[in-house]
Amino acid sequence: MEVRSEEAIRQLQALMDHVEERLMCTFQNVHQGYLAETLERFLKARDWNVSKAYKMLLDCLNWRVDNEIDMMLTKPIIPVDVYRAVRDSQLIGLSGYSREGLPVFAIGVGLGTFDKASVNYYVQSHIQINEYRDRVILPSASKKYGRPITTCVKVLDMTGLKLSSLSQIKLLTIISTIDDLNYPEKTNTYFIVNAPYIFSSCWKVVKPLLQERTRKKIQVLSGSGRDELLKIMDYSSLPHFCKREGSGSSRHSSDGDENCYSLDHPFHQQLYNYIKQQAVQESSRPIKQGSVHVSLPEPPADGAEIVKTIELELHK
């Protein structure tokens, strides 16, 4: 790490040493003992401007306190039929790990419908996966590999992307804004696979609007991306939609153990059982039904411009 970067981390840490007590507990849940790596993430997100990174981190901690994010893993989505509906329409799962120990998350961008539950359920589910990743999966991986592992890899499946995807852009923008503001720099690389023509045309106009830091993380692979992904992970860690030679995927193409989107997949079973166990430990009262309401952020100006550009291109 450059001397300049180390100095910026020291300056930000000095500022954080004087943060009010009510924010310190949630800050510990954010950094999980990897303080320097966490401060570096927020600094990267603000181009190493210490004062801007400090404000961003304070805003994040206040958001966590105001919305009780530390308690998110004690609030299961029940009954299970509602959670299964969320899982069947918000396509995300952990397929395995890269050879460097980074968790590999698969996301079905094209086939996700987000039409089986309210926005609050989808936001709750997304934050729960983020929190489980940061507070359980990444610390476990760090312990296993004997070094800090604080980021993940995401494989985005574009199969099924079409004009009707416009209806999902608002919700996806909310989710991505939550990530940008409160979980910055958690993704090492985005691999895009099974990209149809409609994606290619959108990508040409959207790419110049992205920050250079973000552009460098995105790799558009040919077909299912299988051969390229096998360079960084074993076959067993490939998402199910990358295991065939050709392109194309299906929301229900594999059984529960293979399809990492499914509630029957080991990852989602472990996540759901963990949340239910935490709920029982936290309170002796019956678990309440209903979604958790989290304050939804306004997308930044550049994000709104990207959304508008995608909408225009899809209409074309």
Side-chain angles (χ1 to χ4, degrees):
M1 189 182 296
E2 298 178 2
V3 174
R4 172 176 166 270
S5 302
E6 292 178 348
E7 178 59 29
I9 291 174
R10 280 196 293 269
Q11 291 178 17
L12 183 53
Q13 184 171 348
L15 292 171
M16 293 304 298
D17 287 341
H18 301 287
V19 166
E20 56 186 302
E21 187 64 30
R22 75 183 190 95
L23 300 181
M24 290 308 296
C25 182
T26 196
F27 185 40
Q28 291 171 1
N29 271 333
V30 171
H31 67 67
Q32 292 291 316
Y34 298 105
L35 181 58
E37 289 79 6
T38 300
L39 298 178
E40 182 180 1
R41 287 195 296 105
F42 280 85
L43 283 162
K44 282 182 178 179
R46 289 297 177 262
D47 296 322
W48 295 95
N49 183 304
V50 175
S51 60
K52 290 182 178 179
Y54 178 59
K55 181 183 184 305
M56 182 187 189
L57 187 45
L58 284 186
D59 288 345
C60 166
L61 298 181
N62 278 298
W63 172 80
R64 293 181 64 89
V65 171
D66 293 344
N67 292 280
E68 300 184 338
I69 302 300
D70 289 340
M71 303 299 293
M72 192 63 76
L73 292 179
T74 68
K75 299 175 180 178
I77 295 174
I78 57 171
V80 69
D81 288 348
V82 176
Y83 189 60
R84 186 175 292 279
V86 171
R87 292 277 55 82
D88 286 345
S89 52
Q90 182 184 36
L91 305 182
I92 182 171
L94 179 72
S95 66
Y97 293 82
S98 73
R99 294 194 183 95
E100 294 182 346
L102 275 63
V104 178
F105 282 91
I107 302 173
V109 177
L111 291 173
T113 57
F114 296 92
D115 60 353
K116 306 296 184 185
S118 69
V119 169
N120 290 319
Y121 276 120
Y122 289 116
V123 170
Q124 177 181 350
S125 171
H126 180 79
I127 293 174
Q128 286 178 334
I129 291 175
N130 279 357
E131 291 294 307
Y132 188 72
R133 175 197 65 196
D134 294 351
R135 291 153 64 178
V136 178
I137 293 174
L138 290 174
S140 296
S142 299
K143 184 176 180 180
K144 178 180 179 180
Y145 286 86
R147 62 180 180 83
I149 295 178
T150 58
T151 60
C152 66
V153 170
K154 291 182 179 176
V155 184
L156 280 57
D157 180 21
M158 295 295 170
T159 300
L161 190 68
K162 49 188 180 293
L163 188 62
S164 59
S165 301
L166 274 174
S167 62
Q168 306 160 24
I169 287 181
K170 183 177 181 180
L171 175 55
L172 292 173
T173 302
I174 290 170
I175 288 174
S176 65
T177 303
I178 287 174
D179 284 355
D180 290 344
L181 296 178
N182 303 293
Y183 304 92
E185 300 295 318
K186 295 299 293 189
T187 303
N188 183 279
T189 309
Y190 297 90
F191 293 103
I192 295 175
V193 302
N194 297 325
Y197 172 76
I198 194 171
F199 169 80
S200 302
S201 59
C202 288
W203 179 238
K204 289 178 183 177
V205 294
V206 169
K207 187 177 180 180
L209 302 178
L210 299 175
Q211 293 182 2
E212 182 182 2
R213 185 180 70 254
T214 303
R215 285 201 304 270
K216 287 181 177 179
K217 292 182 180 182
I218 299 173
Q219 295 187 33
V220 182
L221 305 183
S222 174
S224 68
R226 172 178 167 173
D227 293 342
E228 287 299 314
L229 292 173
L230 284 174
K231 294 176 181 178
I232 65 164
M233 67 185 75
D234 295 335
Y235 181 84
S236 60
S237 289
L238 285 176
H240 61 279
F241 51 78
C242 295
K243 289 185 175 179
R244 289 183 297 281
E245 292 290 349
S247 64
S249 176
S250 171
R251 191 182 313 163
H252 306 294
S253 61
S254 309
D255 60 38
D257 287 343
E258 182 75 8
N259 181 353
C260 62
Y261 300 153
S262 171
L263 177 56
D264 299 318
H265 187 272
F267 165 69
H268 283 299
Q269 284 292 301
Q270 292 164 10
L271 168 60
Y272 197 53
N273 289 332
Y274 179 89
I275 295 174
K276 288 192 294 184
Q277 290 168 3
Q278 294 296 309
V280 171
Q281 293 175 14
E282 181 64 28
S283 175
S284 58
R285 298 176 181 176
I287 300 172
K288 293 182 178 180
Q289 295 188 23
S291 61
V292 173
H293 290 250
V294 174
S295 59
L296 305 179
E298 286 293 324
D302 55 349
E305 182 182 359
I306 290 172
V307 169
K308 186 176 181 180
T309 301
I310 291 173
E311 290 177 339
L312 289 172
E313 195 62 29
L314 284 173
H315 278 305
K316 288 179 184 178

